Amino acid sequence: MDNKLTLLELNQRIKETLNREFQSTYWVIAEISELKINRKGHCYLDLVEKDELGDRIVAKAKGIVWSYTFRMLKPYFETTTGREFKQGLKIMVNVSVEFHELYGYSLYIHDIEPSYTLGEIARRRLEVIKKLEDEGIIEMNKQLPLSQVPQKIAVISSKTAAGYRDFIEQLNNNPYGYIFYSKLFPAYMQGDEAEDSIIKALEKIYQYEDLFDAVAIIRGGGAHADLGCFDQYHLAANVAQFPLPVITGIGHEKDESVVDMTAHTKMKTPTAVADFFVSKAYEYEEKLLGLRDVVVERTNQYINLENQKLRNLYSQIYPNVKSILEKSRNILEIRKEKFLHIHRNFLNKKQQNLTAYSKKLVSSYELSFQKNFHELKNYERNIGNLVRNYMKSQKKHMENLAKAKEYLDPKNVLKRGFSITQKDNQTVKSSRQVKKGDTIKTCLYEGKLVSQIDYTEKEENIITGKK
Amino acid sequence: MAKEKQQLKYGDAIEEIEKILKQIENEELDVDDLTSKVKRVSELLSLCKKKLRTTEEEVENILKDIEAE
């Protein structure tokens, strides 16, 4: 029992042995599982190694970066890798093995090799990309048609971020006066919570999918910020499968992030994203104006063509019409002449007729006058003869009458034996005037007889023979 | 016109103008149709220009009402 030691003695012997055995420094690969910085600026880490599947820790050690080292090491690492020096990172560090009697085993970190971490990041990034490719979703968002004028934009950013302000400024003060409607869906844009936070914002936008034309994921400032979340599988997969085109303006100098790769369009900065939307509207309007110019040009061509056709028709028709008109005018002239001629002839003829008639009339009048005159002369002669003859015959007649008067004198008649019978001083000319017993008086050349009627006979008139 | 402005889609406007242009180029239109179609083009143009530059309060109000957080 002589070889018994105090704890301090034992720890001292371990320390001596370790110092002797681990005199130099070693490059060690490990993952940071815990990280604390105390107020003096010393950095205390838990370094672990996991098995191949990554779910079981197979080795663990405490690590310390003294503040004078850490002040240089941290920015060096972060500017080189673009990643925040924090838990979860795989790092390659130069360590010395230390043992302290009171605090035990730890590794003092003197240097770091960022390119190892870069390689690790690149490897992990490639793994994520490969997974997205294998699942067939990496190009999905790119295949979405972007509205010709993405005017309604859902923005995922941090309310206070300078990048968001730049974006809104650039969008709303565009030189063409285009109107854009933007709605901010706030999210953490860096750090451990960023991935989940951005996915939640996407889910929110998904509820109002119909209201928006596109999603803009923007962040800005902080050149040394950790953009590791944008290489994460879940966020990249969400962006890839989002039903609206996603435009990124994450702002980083190195390789594009996986989210950039899966987004519809990747721009470098928030300002560039705003310019992208403005340029889309501008392109649209240019296209519209270009179409207008072509429509105007084609319409003018069309109208000119029609005018040319009309002119051609006119030049074809005009001479025809002209010749037709001239022909018609000639015909009219000829007809007019003809008409005038006929008219004149007609008038002349009529006049001649009239003259002839009047001559004829005068001559026939003269003729008839002479004829009548001759007749009158004849009449005159004839009347003289007639009067003479008449006078002669009347003279003869008068002589005859004088002879007849002697014959007819009743004394001469009575002398020749005729008598006149009277009844009541009426001359009896018929036997019917008297009847038996009547007294009649008969006048003779010399003396009268009075007798009474015995009887009457109806005898025929001795002169006429009538009964 | 106001109703059409809200419903008019930028892509549809371009499509309609391109269709009219094709009709003009193929001489499918007589002079009367040409006049009305050219009129329609200028109407679409002014509708689109207006839509690009005039704020629609309805849209703004809808976006304002969205609970984003």
Side-chain angles (χ1 to χ4, degrees):
Chain A
M1 298 296 261
D2 285 345
N3 58 351
K4 65 177 184 288
L5 296 166
T6 67
L7 181 60
L8 179 61
E9 283 169 345
L10 178 64
N11 280 1
Q12 278 171 341
R13 280 178 68 172
I14 292 171
K15 187 181 175 180
E16 281 164 19
T17 309
L18 284 175
N19 282 347
R20 195 168 56 245
E21 288 299 318
F22 297 93
Q23 286 184 0
S24 65
T25 59
Y26 303 88
W27 285 101
V28 175
I29 291 162
E31 187 180 321
I32 304 169
S33 75
E34 285 272 355
L35 185 145
K36 264 180 227 156
I37 299 161
N38 73 3
R39 46 187 182 80
K40 285 182 180 168
H42 305 310
C43 180
Y44 297 92
L45 311 141
D46 277 353
L47 298 173
V48 296
E49 182 176 340
K50 290 174 179 167
D51 64 7
E52 276 184 23
L53 294 169
D55 40 41
R56 202 165 59 86
I57 294 170
V58 294
K60 190 170 181 178
K62 276 191 276 185
I64 299 167
V65 193
W66 299 114
S67 65
Y68 61 86
T69 308
F70 191 62
R71 277 202 302 272
M72 290 179 293
L73 184 143
K74 181 176 152 79
Y76 168 56
F77 176 85
E78 289 185 345
T79 50
T80 312
T81 61
R83 294 296 159 94
E84 192 185 344
F85 190 75
K86 61 166 191 186
Q87 65 194 57
L89 283 175
K90 265 193 152 179
I91 51 173
M92 187 162 97
V93 282
N94 188 252
V95 298
S96 58
V97 179
E98 303 292 340
F99 193 85
H100 188 274
E101 297 86 343
L102 183 57
Y103 304 112
Y105 164 65
S106 59
L107 301 170
Y108 289 3
I109 296 170
H110 306 289
D111 203 356
I112 191 159
E113 183 48 72
S115 60
Y116 173 80
T117 308
L118 273 178
E120 267 305 294
I121 291 168
R123 193 182 57 76
R124 291 240 317 256
R125 187 170 161 277
L126 285 177
E127 273 174 17
V128 169
I129 292 167
K130 189 164 186 304
K131 194 173 176 190
L132 292 166
E133 278 172 349
D134 290 348
E135 287 167 352
I137 60 174
I138 196 159
E139 295 282 328
M140 272 176 81
N141 200 261
K142 286 198 197 323
Q143 284 161 3
L144 292 177
L146 179 65
S147 166
Q148 297 200 47
V149 183
Q151 210 168 9
K152 294 169 219 162
I153 301 152
V155 185
I156 297 177
S157 188
S158 164
K159 206 180 274 180
T160 54
Y164 174 65
R165 284 199 304 275
D166 294 346
F167 172 80
I168 293 297
E169 176 94 350
Q170 190 80 4
L171 198 61
N172 290 345
N173 295 334
N174 71 79
Y176 312 107
Y178 300 139
I179 294 295
F180 288 94
Y181 308 93
S182 62
K183 177 75 184 176
L184 177 67
F185 292 82
Y188 297 110
M189 299 309 286
Q190 60 188 61
D192 295 337
E193 291 166 279
E195 187 179 12
D196 283 349
S197 171
I198 293 169
I199 289 172
K200 266 187 193 136
L202 282 172
E203 282 167 355
K204 201 101 204 173
I205 295 166
Y206 181 69
Q207 291 173 33
Y208 304 101
E209 182 197 337
D210 293 342
L211 292 178
F212 295 105
D213 296 319
V215 178
I217 299 178
I218 49 176
R219 56 163 301 285
H224 303 305
D226 184 352
L227 303 178
C229 64
F230 294 105
D231 278 337
Q232 297 297 318
Y233 168 78
H234 287 296
L235 181 55
N238 264 281
V239 167
Q241 296 176 88
F242 202 72
L244 288 171
V246 176
I247 320 297
T248 55
I250 293 165
H252 46 80
E253 307 94 50
K254 296 238 161 55
D255 293 342
E256 61 177 2
S257 71
V258 181
V259 167
D260 283 330
M261 289 178 67
T262 54
H264 182 281
T265 302
K266 170 220 147 184
M267 303 306 293
K268 284 215 157 160
T269 62
T271 309
V273 175
D275 286 342
F276 172 78
F277 290 131
V278 173
S279 74
K280 280 283 163 189
Y282 179 75
E283 278 167 27
Y284 176 81
E285 197 173 26
E286 282 293 295
K287 191 175 173 185
L288 211 59
L289 295 179
L291 274 174
R292 180 199 63 188
D293 291 346
V294 179
V295 166
V296 167
E297 193 192 314
R298 292 286 183 277
T299 305
N300 283 339
Q301 280 177 4
Y302 182 92
I303 288 169
N304 285 341
L305 204 76
E306 292 296 311
N307 273 340
Q308 191 56 49
K309 278 186 199 164
L310 273 178
R311 270 197 296 276
N312 288 346
L313 274 177
Y314 178 76
S315 60
Q316 280 169 20
I317 288 170
Y318 180 71
N320 286 339
V321 170
K322 209 175 160 189
S323 80
I324 288 171
L325 276 176
E326 260 162 26
K327 240 182 224 166
S328 299
R329 197 177 296 137
N330 285 343
I331 290 171
L332 266 178
E333 279 298 321
I334 291 167
R335 291 220 171 129
K336 186 176 144 196
E337 281 305 312
K338 221 170 177 177
F339 175 75
L340 282 177
H341 183 70
I342 290 171
H343 185 66
R344 258 197 309 270
N345 280 351
F346 180 77
L347 279 179
N348 283 343
K349 219 170 177 178
K350 286 289 164 193
Q351 204 165 3
Q352 281 169 6
N353 284 347
L354 270 178
T355 312
Y357 276 137
S358 82
K359 268 184 192 158
K360 221 170 175 180
L361 201 65
V362 168
S363 73
S364 76
Y365 175 73
E366 275 173 355
L367 220 68
S368 106
F369 179 76
Q370 276 174 6
K371 201 174 160 190
N372 286 342
F373 185 74
H374 283 302
E375 275 174 10
L376 272 176
K377 283 268 175 201
N378 285 342
Y379 280 142
E380 199 183 52
R381 246 191 327 266
N382 290 345
I383 282 174
N385 289 340
L386 280 173
V387 168
R388 263 189 304 275
N389 289 343
Y390 183 71
M391 294 295 281
K392 233 185 243 176
S393 74
Q394 284 297 311
K395 200 176 169 186
K396 208 169 182 180
H397 189 61
M398 293 296 283
E399 284 168 3
N400 289 343
L401 279 178
K403 274 179 199 163
K405 196 186 164 193
E406 270 177 58
Y407 284 122
L408 292 174
D409 188 355
K411 269 180 178 167
N412 291 339
V413 173
L414 291 174
K415 214 180 185 173
R416 280 190 308 264
F418 293 97
S419 61
I420 301 164
T421 309
Q422 284 178 323
K423 182 195 159 193
D424 303 331
N425 292 332
Q426 294 279 312
T427 306
V428 177
K429 291 171 185 173
S430 166
S431 56
R432 283 186 292 261
Q433 280 178 276
V434 291
K435 56 195 192 275
K436 197 182 166 187
D438 282 349
T439 311
I440 56 167
K441 194 188 321 173
T442 309
C443 299
L444 303 171
Y445 182 64
E446 288 173 337
K448 286 176 191 177
L449 304 167
V450 178
S451 34
Q452 208 162 16
I453 302 297
D454 272 348
Y455 68 88
T456 62
E457 277 175 17
K458 283 177 191 164
E459 228 173 315
E460 62 183 295
N461 186 319
I462 54 167
I463 296 164
T464 64
K466 275 181 191 173
K467 288 204 176 165
Chain B
M1 190 108 167
K3 202 173 180 190
E4 186 170 7
K5 186 192 159 196
Q6 283 183 4
Q7 289 168 346
L8 182 76
K9 289 187 176 141
Y10 291 111
D12 294 349
I14 288 272
E15 230 171 74
E16 195 175 339
I17 293 173
E18 280 175 340
K19 197 175 139 197
I20 289 170
L21 184 59
K22 202 172 258 176
Q23 285 178 324
I24 294 171
E25 284 177 339
N26 295 344
E27 292 179 30
E28 288 171 22
L29 302 169
D30 62 31
V31 175
D32 291 338
D33 288 341
L34 186 72
T35 309
S36 69
K37 293 287 183 185
V38 171
K39 242 184 200 168
R40 175 65 181 156
V41 169
S42 99
E43 186 183 285
L44 286 168
L45 273 163
S46 69
L47 278 172
C48 289
K49 281 187 163 184
K50 210 170 169 189
K51 195 176 157 95
L52 280 169
R53 292 191 171 83
T54 315
T55 308
E56 286 170 49
E57 271 184 40
E58 205 185 324
V59 179
E60 288 210 317
N61 290 337
I62 290 171
L63 294 185
K64 221 173 265 172
D65 288 344
I66 292 177
E67 277 296 328
E69 290 177 61

